[in-house]
Amino acid sequence: MDQFLQATITGLAVAAILAVAASGLVLTYTTTGIFNFAHGAVGMLGAFAYWQLRFGWDWPAPVALVVVLGVLAPLLGVVIERVVMRGLYDAPETSRVVVSIGLLAALLGLGLWMWPPDTARRFDRFWGDESVAVLGVNLTWHDVAALAVAVALAVGLRVLLYRSRPGLAMRAAVDDRSLAMLNGARPRRSAMLAWAIGCTSAAVAGILVAPSVGLSHVNLTLMIVNAYAAAMIGRLRSLPMTFVGALLVGLLDAYALAYLPTDGILLAQFRFAIPVILLFVVLLVLPQERLRGHTSRATREVIPRPPWLGSVATAAAFVAAGLVAAQIASGPDAVSVQKIVAVAIIGLSLVPLVGFAGQLSLCQMSFAGIGAVLMAHHGHGGDPKGLLVATVVTGLIGALIALPTVRMAGIYLALGTAAFAMLLDQWIFGLRDFSVGPVDISIFGTGSVAVDRLDVPGVDTDQDMLVFLSVVFALMYLLVVGIRRSTFGQRLLALKDSPAASATLGINTTLVKLAVFTLSAAMAGFGGALYGGTLGTASAMNFAFVQSLPLLLLGVVGGIGTAAGALVAGVLIGGLPLLIDVAPWFENVNRVLPGTMGIALGRNPNGIAHTLREAFGPLRRSPVLLAGTLVGVAAVVALRLADVLSGGPFALALAGELAAGGLAAQMIEARRSVRGTEAPEAGATADGAGDGVDATGHVGADVPLPLEWAGIERPFTDDEVATLDRMLGLERPAGPSLVTVGAGSTAVAATPRGAGSTASAATPGRAGNGTTEVGR
Amino acid sequence: MTVPRSGPSPVLEVRNVTVRFGGHLALDDVSLSAAPGEVTGLIGPNGAGKTTLFNVVTGLLGPQRGSVRLDGEDVTGLPPYRRARRGLARTFQRLELFGLLTVGENVELAASVRRRRPGRSAADALELVGLSAEADVRADELPTGKARLVELARALATGPQVLLLDEPASGQDDAETEAFRDVLLAVAGEGIAVVLVEHDVQLVMRTCTRIHVLDFGSVLASGTPDEIQADRAVLDAYLGAAPEVTA
Amino acid sequence: MRRRRQAIASLAVVALMAGACTRAEGETEIGAAATGSGDQAQTADGGGAGGTSGSRLDQGTFGDLDNLCADGEPGTVTETGLTADEIHLGTVTDRGSAERPGLTQEMYDSAVAFAAWCNEHGGIGGRQIVIDDLDAKLFEYGQRVGEACQRDFALVGGGAVFDAQDNGARVACGLPNLPGYAVTPQARVAELQVQPVPNPVYSFASAGYRWLQGRFPEADKLGILWVNLDGPATIHDQIAEMAETLGFEIVFDEQYRPLGETGWRGFVQKMREEGVTAFEMIGEPENMVALQQAMQIEGWYPEFIHLQPNYYDKKFQEEGAGSVSEATYMRSPFPTFEMADEVPAMADYLELMERYNPEGKTAMLGMQGLSAFLLFATAANECGADLSRACLLEKAAAQDGWTAGGLHSPQTPGNLVATQCSLAIQVTAQGFVYDEELTEPNEGIYNCDPGNVVELTDDYGVPRPAA
C-alpha cells in the first residue's frame, strides 16, 4: 500500500507535466487544425532558454520565468503562426504534417546550434530539492509547482474558452472556420493566440521536466510523444479528457515501474512502450472517420503518368549516373554513394504510399530496419534468400500493421505509424535474442548485427556494388512507374483525391489501402536489406523513428509523387553530411537545413523535382539543344574520366553545362512564344525524353499559347480562365452559386441554411479544415 | 409511410430513414423509391436533406433508423463499395472527380471496377456525354459544366441499375442543359432508375416521371410533376411567393 | 600531505621500474624526470602561459618516457602511410554524429595535441606525424576503415561505438590498431590490435567491488540500473556476472528509457522495496545526477554506489553530481586531474592540452587515447629504422607494465586481460577525490592484486582467447 501511494504521488507529478504539454497540443490543434509535431521541440527550446537566463546568466528565477514564458515562448508562437503555419490551415493533411515535422527538425537543429550538446549544463529544480511530506511521501516543491501549474492551466483555459471573447472566437474557429469568418470573427487572431498559448504551455512543460530528463535536446523533444497519448484520449478536442489522459499515462508509467515484472528479455523494456501502445490503442478505439471527399489544394498537384519509353530512358540515365559515379568515387566514397542510393530505394517505398495514395507513414525506416535485421539473419554471406525473406516478411508485417491502421486517415494514420515506429524503437529493437516456443528470434542482439552485403555474381568492389544498386534503383523506379500506369495506380490516386468517390464507384478503399501499405512495407524492407548491406553493421539507431522523419520530409520536398522525391531524399540525407567534411561550418547549417526546407517547400505537393522538370521542359522539347547539352555533358564526363578535371570542377562544369542547356532552351522557347509561331509542334516532342510527361501542358485550348499571351492575341477560352483562376488561387465555383438557373435557388445556394448541407454548399474546401466530409 | 404507386416495381427503396446530426434532424422518417426506366425527381430547398439522403443511400452515412433496399435486398449494412458493385452509382453536387487523373482515366477506372457486370465501355460513356475529345485532359482542368458531365460518364461506366445525380445541371448553360436532358432520358430509356436532385425546377418538371419534395428533412409531397405543381403545401413551403416557374 | 609525498615517492619507483622494463636501450634520464616533477607540474597546473621553459614536454619527454619525440634518421621501410618523412595515423571518433554530437571528441583532441607536440620535437625518428581525422559519426566506421586502409600506417588512439562495422576489413587490409578504446566484443578481441588499456571480454576488473565489499560488508544486495543505448549490454552482462562471482545477489536489474525518464523516484522506491544495498548505474552522467537527486528526495541511499570510469567526466561534476552523491565510488586505472601535482604524467597531459590544443577537451578517454599514442611512439622508437607495421605491433605488445609514462596504472597491452592495478575515486562535493584508504595502494598510488580480476565464464558471443 505504501508503495502504491508512493507510485501514485510520483505518477501524479509526472501527469501534471504531461497535462500541461498535452493541453497546449490540443488547443493548437482544435483552433487551427494543425497537429504540432514540433510541440516538444518548442518545449526543448523553452527549457534551454530558461537555463540560459537562470543558470547561464544567473538571473533570478522569477525574472527568467517571466522572460521565457511571458515573452519568448508566446513570441515564438506568434512567429511560427505568422511565418510557418499561416496559409497552411486549408492545405492538405500531408502538407500540414510535413511542415510541422519540418518545424520540429528546424527547431531541434536550432537548439543544437545555439546550445552545443557537449557542454555540461546544470539544471536545478525550483527550490532545489526541498520537499514536503504528503501522506508520508516526500513531494518536492518543484512537483507541487507542477501540480499547481496544471490546475491553474486547466482553470485558466476553461475561463479563457468559455468566458472571454477571444476564447469564444477560438471555439468558433474550431467548429467552422469559414462560418466563424462570416460572423465577423477573426480566425487569424484566434490562431495566433492559440499558437502563443500552445508554445507557452510547451515551454512550461519543458522547464518542469528538464531536471528529470536532463538538458538533452533530443530527449526533451521526444518526451512529448508520451503526451500524444494523453492528447489523443482527449480526441484532440476535449481539454478535460486530455487531462484525464495525462493522468492515465503518468500513473500507468508509475505503476508499471512499481509493479510490472522486468524479468526476462521481453519484459525488460516493455514499460518504455506503454505510452505508445496506449496511443495506438486509443487511435484504434476512436470512432472511425467518415470517408472524406476531395481536398482543396492551394497548389495543383502533378503526378505525371510517365510513358514507358521515357521511363526506360530515365532508368537508363540512373544506371549511367551510377556508372559515372563508380568511375569517379574511391572505395569509401563509393560506399557513401551506395548509402545514398540505398536510402533512395527505401524512399521509393513512399512514392506509392504517400505520393500516390496520400497515406502518411512515419515508420518507413522502421520497416527498413526490419528488412535489415532479416537480411542479417537470413542472408549470411549475402545470400539472396535473405533479400527475399526481408521483402516478403516485411511486407507481411506491413500488412499486419495495416490491418488496424487502414481505418485511420490523415493525422491519425501519421500518429498510428509513429506509434508503431516508437514501439519498435523503445521495445522491440532493443530486445536481445529470445525464443517464442520453438522459434528463436534475434533482432539487433546486444546492440548491432552484421549485415552481409548482397552477393551478386560479378559484383566485387564497392564501385561494382554502387553500379548494382543503381540498377536496382532503376528497376524499382520502373516498378513505381508501372504502378502509376496500372489500374491499381489509378485507384491509389483516386483514393488520394476522393475516398468517398472511390467508394461510391465500387472501389474497396480498405483493400486498396491495405495493398499499398503492404507493398510499401515490402519495398522498404527490400531497401532496408540493401541499406543494411552498405552499412555493414546495422543498429537500432539507424532505423529509429527520428530517421523516418527526414525521409518523409525530404521526400516531400523533392516531390514524393515521382521517383525524384525518393532520389532527392537519398541525396540530401546521405549527401548533405558529406559536405561537412569539406566545409565544417556546414555542420550547423545542416542541422537546420532539412527542417527549413520542409517548412519552405513542404507545402508544395510537387516538390523540387517538378520545378526542375518545368525548368528543363523547354530543353527536352528542343532536340537540337538537347543533343548539344548531352554532348556537352558527355564531354565533361570524359574530361573527368581522363583525369583532366578533379571532383570539384567536374561537378561545377556538369552543373554549368546542364544549367546552360536549360536556360538556352527556355530563352529560345520564350522568343518563339512571343512570335506565336511554331509552337504547336512543341507538344509532339514533349514525350519520350526524360520523364517524358509534360503534365502541365494546358491542353484544351486549341493553340497551346503561353498563358500570359492569352487574351491578348485572342480572347480567353474557358479553360484558360479556369487555369488562371486556379493559378491566382481564386476559388472556382464548383457549386451552383454563380449560375442562375431556376427561381430562388441562387440566393439559397450562396448562403446555406441549415446544417444539413453546410459543408457541401459553402465555398468548397473552406469548410472544416480543408477537408469536407461528405454528408454533413 | 410508403407512398402507394403504380408502374414498374421499384429497384431502389428508402424506408423510414432518419438521420440526426447532434440535435439537428437532417432526415426525418423519409421514404421514397425509384423505378427502372424512370427519372425520379427530388427537390427541396437547400438544407432539406437531399444530399444527406444520397449519402445514406450510397452508404457514406449510416442512418439512425430505417433501411435502404436495392433490388429488393436490404443493403443498409453494406459498405459503399459493395452497394456500388450492386449497381448503385452517383454523382456529387460538390464535384468529386479524381483531379490527378485524366478524364479518360476517371472513366476507365470506373469501368474497370465494374468487372463482369454489363455496362458501357469508358469510351462509350465519354461519347455519350460528348467529351471524347477531352479524354486526355486532366480532370481538374475542366470547367464545372464539363466536369459534371465527366462525373455522369464515370457513373455510367460502372454499369449502374440506379443512378443518383446530385445537381448535375448546375454550371451548365441552356444548350448544355438541353443536351444533358437528352442524355438523361436516353439513360433512363435503357432501364436505369435515375434519381435527380436539381435546383432547376423546370428541368425537373420536364424530365421526371415522379417527384418527391423534401423540406426540413421530411417528405413534403410525392407525385407526378402536375400533382406537385398543384400542391399547395409545396408552393407555400418551397416555391414561396413565386408560383411561376421561371427559366 | 604526507600521504601525497608517499605517493610521489612510490610513483618514482614505479616510473623507475617501468622505465627499466620498457626501455630497450636504457637511455632514460630518470633523475631529470623525477626531480623535475614537483615544480613544473605546479606551474602547468597553475595555468601559467604555455611554453614554460624547462618543462619535460620541452625536451620531447612525457612523464617518464624520455625523448619520445626527436629528430633522427628515418628508416628505409615504406608501407602504406609510412613515407620517408611522414607517418600517417588514423584517429577514429564519433564526434560528428548527428545523434550524439561531440562523442569521444577528447580522443581526437589528444591526437591533435600529441602530434603537434611530437612534430615540434622532430617527430618519430625524423618522421612527422600526420593525423588522419576519421570521424565515424557512429554509422560510418566501415567506410573510415576503408579510407584508412588506403592511406594510413595504423589506427592510433581512437575508437568508435560501433567498431565491429568494418566486418573485419581492417584486419583484411593489414592495418594495425592501437585503439583508445574498443567497445564491441568483436572489436575487443580483434587481431592486429594492441590495446594500451586492454578491455577484454572474458575477464573483468573487479577491484572496485572487492574494495567496497571490504568497506561495506553488509551491502550484498546489488541493484543495477542501465540503459540499452549504443550497446552497453555487454558491460551490463559482465558486471552482473562479476558481481555474482564475488557473492553479490542481484535483486534489482532494470533499464531506464534511452529517451530519459520523468519519474526517477520510481526506481528509488522500487530499490528500497527490493532491499538494494549496493548499486551500479551504467549509463550517462546527467541521468545519474537525476537519479541521485531522486535518492535525496526519497531520503534513501544504498550503502554504496559503484560507477564505471566513464563517469569520470567533468560534465558529471558540473551538472551537480557532488552535491547529491553519497558513498559513490568508481574504480579507475587513471588518477584524477587534481592529482597532477603528485602524478607528473598527469601534469604533462594537462600541460600538453593547455599548450598544444587549448580548446580541446580533457577527459578520461582523452588520456586513454593519448596512452595509445605514447605506446605507438614508444614502440616505433624501439623499432627505430626498422619501423614497419609488423614491428609496431610486436613492440607495442611487448610493453609489459605499460603506464603511459605514469599516466595510468600498469597494463598489459600484449595480453588481453583486465588490469590488476586500479585506484578508487570517490565522488564528493569537492569533486572527484582519490580514496587512498579504500585503494590500499601497494604499487604507487594503485592497488595491484591478482584478486582484482574476475574471470568470466558466460558466453559473450566471441571466441574465448586461448589460455
Side-chain angles (χ1 to χ4, degrees):
Chain A
M1 197 55 214
D2 190 30
Q3 196 181 3
F4 180 77
L5 201 62
Q6 286 172 1
T8 308
I9 288 180
T10 41
L12 275 178
V14 173
I17 300 175
L18 282 177
V20 172
S23 54
L25 200 60
V26 168
L27 188 74
T28 324
Y29 182 79
T30 46
T31 316
T32 65
I34 288 173
F35 187 88
N36 186 15
F37 279 91
H39 201 63
V42 174
M44 179 271 293
L45 285 182
F48 272 94
Y50 176 76
W51 174 86
Q52 186 66 58
L53 301 182
R54 175 71 185 87
F55 301 105
W57 295 338
D58 239 350
W59 291 18
V63 180
L65 277 179
V66 166
V67 171
V68 173
L69 301 179
V71 182
L72 296 179
L75 198 66
L76 179 65
V78 169
V79 169
I80 290 176
E81 201 281 329
R82 295 214 52 152
V83 178
V84 181
M85 298 299 171
R86 189 165 287 183
L88 209 62
Y89 300 125
D90 298 333
E93 197 77 60
T94 313
S95 304
R96 279 183 275 164
V97 169
V98 165
V99 169
S100 144
I101 289 174
L103 184 65
L104 158 72
L107 292 183
L108 182 58
L110 190 69
L112 286 165
W113 191 343
M114 290 175 72
W115 291 282
D118 46 353
T119 314
R121 293 187 185 86
R122 185 174 172 157
F123 199 116
D124 288 335
R125 289 182 164 75
F126 296 113
W127 303 285
D129 289 333
E130 282 173 44
S131 55
V132 56
V134 180
L135 297 170
V137 180
N138 280 343
L139 206 57
T140 57
W141 286 108
H142 187 94
D143 292 337
V144 175
L147 287 165
V149 166
V151 171
L153 188 72
V155 174
L157 285 179
R158 181 87 195 169
V159 170
L160 173 76
L161 289 178
Y162 288 86
R163 295 284 153 80
S164 75
R165 266 195 76 81
L168 286 172
M170 283 163 85
R171 283 172 55 217
V174 178
D175 293 338
D176 190 329
R177 288 179 67 78
S178 54
L179 217 57
M181 207 130 45
L182 282 177
N183 292 336
R186 299 169 64 180
R188 287 194 166 173
R189 237 165 129 183
S190 304
M192 216 183 271
L193 188 63
W195 278 99
I197 296 175
C199 284
T200 309
S201 92
V204 170
I207 292 171
L208 285 173
V209 86
S212 296
V213 172
L215 268 185
S216 153
H217 304 75
V218 175
N219 292 3
L220 282 173
T221 301
L222 292 185
M223 208 60 226
I224 195 70
V225 174
N226 292 343
Y228 287 175
M232 206 47 78
I233 289 172
R235 297 185 61 187
L236 293 178
R237 263 204 292 271
S238 153
L239 285 172
M241 281 309 287
T242 301
F243 272 71
V244 170
L247 266 182
L248 195 64
V249 178
L251 289 177
L252 215 55
D253 193 55
Y255 293 146
L257 207 165
Y259 297 113
L260 194 73
T262 51
D263 327 62
I265 286 159
L266 283 174
L267 283 177
Q269 301 179 58
F270 178 69
R271 185 177 60 88
F272 308 162
I274 291 178
V276 285
I277 292 177
L278 194 65
L279 171 62
F280 200 79
V281 169
V282 174
L283 283 168
L284 285 185
V285 179
L286 274 185
Q288 189 168 355
E289 199 176 295
R290 234 173 279 134
L291 288 171
R292 64 161 174 83
H294 107 114
T295 316
S296 68
R297 285 186 197 84
T299 314
R300 180 163 161 280
E301 198 168 352
V302 179
I303 299 180
R305 185 167 188 251
W308 278 120
L309 192 66
S311 302
V312 170
T314 308
F318 287 141
V319 176
L323 278 167
V324 172
Q327 286 294 324
I328 298 164
S330 66
D333 287 345
V335 176
S336 294
V337 186
Q338 279 176 21
K339 287 183 185 172
I340 291 178
V341 181
V343 171
I345 292 175
I346 300 173
L348 276 180
S349 73
L350 283 170
V351 176
L353 187 66
V354 182
F356 297 170
Q359 306 292 309
L360 282 167
S361 162
L362 297 180
C363 63
Q364 247 19 49
M365 284 309 279
S366 310
F367 286 134
I370 294 171
V373 165
L374 289 163
M375 181 70 193
H377 297 299
H378 297 273
H380 294 293
D383 191 347
K385 193 192 85 187
L387 190 61
L388 186 70
V389 171
T391 312
V392 172
V393 175
T394 311
L396 289 177
I397 294 175
L400 216 61
I401 297 307
L403 276 177
T405 46
V406 280
R407 49 192 298 289
M408 304 174 191
I411 184 68
Y412 297 95
L413 181 63
L415 285 173
T417 52
F420 171 65
M422 297 290 286
L423 178 76
L424 294 188
D425 259 18
Q426 307 229 329
W427 185 34
I428 307 284
F429 279 172
L431 292 178
R432 301 167 70 169
D433 301 356
F434 63 100
S435 301
V436 178
V439 187
D440 294 327
I441 296 178
S442 180
I443 303 167
F444 284 109
T446 51
S448 60
V449 286
V451 187
D452 291 333
R453 206 177 72 176
L454 189 69
D455 180 42
V456 188
V459 172
D460 299 316
T461 63
D462 287 331
Q463 285 84 353
D464 294 348
M465 192 65 201
L466 171 56
V467 174
F468 173 75
L469 286 178
S470 309
V471 172
V472 172
F473 180 81
L475 291 175
M476 293 284 280
Y477 161 74
L478 289 177
L479 172 72
V480 169
V481 168
I483 294 171
R484 168 63 185 90
R485 295 181 58 85
S486 69
T487 319
F488 178 56
Q490 292 178 358
R491 286 176 192 206
L492 294 180
L493 291 178
L495 180 69
K496 179 184 196 170
D497 249 335
S498 172
S502 302
T504 52
L505 280 186
I507 296 173
N508 184 348
T509 51
T510 310
L511 200 64
V512 171
K513 277 188 187 177
L514 197 66
V516 71
F517 213 88
T518 306
L519 172 84
S520 170
M523 288 171 73
F526 175 84
L530 294 173
Y531 181 51
T534 68
L535 290 172
T537 302
S539 80
M541 271 173 108
N542 296 114
F543 303 101
F545 167 60
V546 286
Q547 309 282 357
S548 289
L549 299 182
L551 191 71
L552 177 69
L553 188 67
L554 296 174
V556 170
V557 165
I560 203 63
T562 64
L567 201 59
V568 168
V571 168
L572 292 182
I573 290 173
L576 284 180
L578 297 179
L579 289 179
I580 298 172
D581 296 337
V582 184
W585 56 264
F586 187 71
E587 180 173 4
N588 278 322
V589 178
N590 185 43
R591 282 180 173 150
V592 291
L593 191 62
T596 319
M597 291 172 86
I599 293 171
L601 301 167
R603 66 192 70 203
N604 175 0
N606 301 319
I608 303 172
H610 179 68
T611 315
L612 284 179
R613 208 171 13 241
E614 297 258 273
F616 283 96
L619 179 62
R620 291 205 311 259
R621 272 172 248 131
S622 160
V624 179
L625 266 177
L626 183 65
T629 309
L630 286 178
V631 168
V633 168
V636 173
V637 171
L639 282 176
R640 173 70 187 101
L641 293 183
D643 268 339
V644 178
L645 288 175
S646 62
F650 165 68
L652 277 180
L654 202 61
E657 175 64 38
L658 288 171
L663 279 177
Q666 275 187 345
M667 282 166 64
I668 291 175
E669 185 148 298
R671 278 175 55 196
R672 278 187 193 164
S673 325
V674 173
R675 279 191 250 119
T677 55
E678 299 174 59
E681 65 191 53
T685 50
D687 288 13
D691 255 354
V693 170
D694 183 14
T696 51
H698 305 297
V699 201
D702 294 334
V703 185
L705 200 65
L707 205 54
E708 50 271 41
W709 294 96
I712 296 173
E713 304 229 337
R714 56 164 171 68
F716 281 105
T717 64
D718 283 353
D719 298 352
E720 281 161 357
V721 174
T723 313
L724 278 174
D725 280 354
R726 178 178 39 71
M727 287 179 148
L728 295 171
L730 299 176
E731 285 293 343
R732 284 175 58 197
S737 29
L738 293 186
V739 188
T740 314
V741 200
S745 65
T746 312
V748 190
T751 47
R753 130 187 162 212
S757 63
T758 301
S760 38
T763 337
R766 280 296 155 101
N769 299 317
T771 304
T772 307
E773 286 180 19
V774 175
R776 290 308 307 266
Chain B
M1 70 155 213
T2 315
V3 183
R5 51 170 297 154
S6 55
S9 65
V11 60
L12 171 73
E13 282 180 276
V14 174
R15 291 188 183 170
N16 313 99
V17 162
T18 299
V19 171
R20 199 181 284 278
F21 296 127
H24 172 74
L25 200 58
L27 290 177
D28 183 11
D29 199 37
V30 171
S31 298
L32 49 81
S33 59
E38 287 185 2
V39 180
T40 307
L42 187 58
I43 58 173
N46 270 81
K50 303 183 298 289
T51 298
T52 304
L53 183 66
F54 271 18
N55 287 337
V56 169
V57 171
T58 49
L60 292 175
L61 192 67
Q64 268 82 30
R65 226 162 49 77
S67 64
V68 178
R69 300 177 76 84
L70 199 57
D71 227 359
E73 274 182 71
D74 190 345
V75 297
T76 319
L78 293 186
Y81 77 95
R82 298 205 27 205
R83 301 188 196 197
R85 290 182 184 176
R86 286 174 180 233
L88 184 66
R90 76 173 283 187
T91 68
F92 293 84
Q93 176 205 23
R94 186 178 160 274
L95 286 167
E96 293 285 350
L97 277 182
F98 304 129
L100 295 167
L101 300 175
T102 63
V103 168
E105 283 179 308
N106 264 276
V107 185
E108 281 161 22
L109 186 60
S112 77
V113 178
R114 185 181 69 222
R115 295 181 185 167
R116 289 171 301 279
R117 266 185 302 115
R120 252 173 247 279
S121 73
D124 285 354
L126 275 182
E127 174 93 54
L128 185 71
V129 298
L131 284 176
S132 299
E134 271 93 345
D136 291 330
V137 181
R138 258 184 63 146
D140 61 359
E141 289 178 353
L142 289 179
T144 310
K146 283 183 176 178
R148 293 202 179 282
L149 291 178
V150 177
E151 278 217 351
L152 176 61
R154 191 175 67 176
L156 286 174
T158 65
Q161 294 185 67
V162 178
L163 181 60
L164 310 178
L165 303 174
D166 201 346
E167 300 194 22
S170 60
Q172 295 181 338
D173 61 28
D174 287 354
E176 285 170 335
T177 305
E178 267 324 291
F180 173 75
R181 181 172 177 271
D182 293 342
V183 172
L184 215 57
L185 292 173
V187 166
E190 292 167 13
I192 296 174
V194 179
V195 182
L196 177 68
V197 163
E198 187 49 63
H199 275 292
D200 184 345
V201 177
Q202 198 192 29
L203 175 67
V204 174
M205 295 296 172
R206 289 195 297 133
T207 317
C208 297
T209 319
R210 291 183 62 81
I211 294 172
H212 302 276
V213 183
L214 270 184
D215 192 29
F216 288 113
S218 48
V219 180
L220 195 66
S222 299
T224 63
D226 292 340
E227 290 167 3
I228 293 298
Q229 269 174 314
D231 192 311
R232 200 66 233 172
V234 174
L235 291 178
D236 284 350
Y238 178 43
L239 301 175
E244 293 287 312
V245 174
T246 54
Chain C
M1 217 38 213
R2 215 178 37 157
R3 231 179 256 155
R4 273 192 183 169
R5 286 215 187 96
Q6 275 176 353
I8 295 174
S10 48
L11 185 87
V13 175
V14 175
L16 257 164
M17 287 170 61
C21 293
T22 56
R23 293 271 140 186
E25 290 158 52
E27 40 161 9
T28 29
E29 294 171 321
I30 294 153
T35 49
S37 62
D39 311 339
Q40 274 124 37
Q42 265 162 4
T43 40
D45 197 42
T52 331
S53 63
S55 104
R56 279 183 300 276
L57 292 180
D58 286 335
Q59 292 148 26
T61 294
F62 186 96
D64 62 7
L65 300 170
D66 289 338
N67 298 329
L68 206 57
C69 297
D71 217 338
E73 202 55 38
T76 48
V77 184
T78 53
E79 283 183 295
T80 309
L82 185 69
T83 63
D85 46 10
E86 282 183 348
I87 306 178
H88 290 252
L89 301 177
T91 300
V92 183
T93 60
D94 288 317
R95 64 203 189 92
S97 71
E99 288 77 9
R100 338 202 62 211
L103 189 63
T104 60
Q105 169 80 36
E106 58 267 32
M107 293 202 290
Y108 178 72
D109 291 341
S110 282
V112 169
F114 174 81
W117 167 69
C118 192
N119 289 340
E120 192 179 295
H121 294 280
I124 303 292
R127 284 174 165 129
Q128 294 279 298
I129 293 175
V130 180
I131 298 294
D132 184 10
D133 176 16
L134 298 171
D135 185 354
K137 299 169 190 165
L138 283 181
F139 304 129
E140 296 178 8
Y141 181 71
Q143 277 164 269
R144 295 297 94 80
V145 165
E147 288 162 17
C149 278
Q150 290 176 3
R151 56 182 188 234
D152 292 333
F153 178 62
L155 298 182
V156 180
V161 168
F162 296 113
D163 51 9
Q165 243 176 14
D166 66 324
N167 285 345
R170 180 184 62 76
V171 174
C173 80
L175 181 69
N177 191 9
L178 275 56
Y181 78 149
V183 180
T184 57
Q186 293 89 330
R188 294 193 209 174
V189 300
E191 301 283 311
L192 301 188
Q193 173 170 285
V194 179
Q195 300 182 49
V197 180
N199 184 15
V201 177
Y202 290 100
S203 78
F204 203 82
S206 58
Y209 276 76
R210 202 175 63 87
W211 298 330
L212 291 166
Q213 225 169 5
R215 181 175 284 188
F216 305 97
E218 304 295 308
D220 57 353
K221 301 253 190 295
L222 180 65
I224 303 177
L225 184 60
W226 62 294
V227 62
N228 196 356
L229 192 70
D230 304 349
T234 307
I235 296 172
H236 164 266
D237 295 357
Q238 287 181 310
I239 290 175
E241 190 189 343
M242 178 264 290
E244 282 183 330
T245 310
L246 289 180
F248 286 90
E249 185 193 348
I250 298 174
V251 295
F252 172 94
D253 185 1
E254 297 211 1
Q255 300 180 28
Y256 68 85
R257 270 197 185 88
L259 289 180
E261 288 282 351
T262 43
W264 292 101
R265 293 177 62 186
F267 293 113
V268 181
Q269 290 159 4
K270 197 166 181 185
M271 279 195 275
R272 181 168 51 198
E273 292 291 319
E274 304 287 353
V276 167
T277 47
F279 176 67
E280 167 107 29
M281 174 127 157
I282 310 163
E284 307 197 45
E286 55 264 45
N287 289 323
M288 183 68 205
V289 176
L291 182 77
Q292 288 188 314
Q293 281 170 350
M295 287 178 176
Q296 195 180 56
I297 295 163
E298 289 287 331
W300 175 89
Y301 282 93
E303 290 195 35
F304 74 79
I305 296 174
H306 185 264
L307 299 172
Q308 294 303 305
N310 71 306
Y311 282 89
Y312 184 67
D313 187 326
K314 273 188 192 157
K315 206 172 168 182
F316 185 39
Q317 190 67 43
E318 286 166 12
E319 290 185 350
S323 58
V324 288
S325 294
E326 256 182 42
T328 305
Y329 304 89
M330 56 185 93
R331 173 208 70 85
S332 169
F334 290 90
T336 65
F337 294 135
E338 289 71 22
M339 292 161 80
D341 49 355
E342 46 197 292
V343 182
M346 178 59 79
D348 287 353
Y349 168 63
L350 295 174
E351 187 187 340
L352 178 79
M353 294 304 291
E354 179 65 34
R355 281 171 61 181
Y356 292 92
N357 194 355
E359 300 287 300
K361 185 180 171 192
T362 53
M364 203 220 45
L365 273 181
M367 290 191 273
Q368 206 160 299
L370 182 63
S371 175
F373 274 98
L374 295 170
L375 182 65
F376 166 79
T378 304
N381 283 335
E382 285 183 23
C383 292
D386 297 327
L387 178 60
S388 66
R389 283 174 166 179
C391 179
L392 172 72
L393 284 168
E394 185 197 324
K395 297 292 182 192
Q399 307 294 322
D400 204 20
W402 171 251
T403 66
L407 190 59
H408 54 65
S409 70
Q411 306 282 329
T412 53
N415 190 9
L416 196 54
V417 291
T419 182
Q420 298 180 355
C421 300
S422 300
L423 52 73
I425 295 173
Q426 186 177 6
V427 185
T428 71
Q430 285 74 45
F432 298 104
V433 177
Y434 171 48
D435 190 334
E436 190 172 357
E437 225 175 284
L438 189 63
T439 308
E440 291 183 19
N442 57 11
E443 262 194 67
I445 50 176
Y446 305 103
N447 176 290
C448 298
D449 191 304
N452 282 346
V453 176
V454 164
E455 294 300 315
L456 304 180
T457 54
D458 287 354
D459 182 12
Y460 287 88
V462 289
R464 186 177 296 276

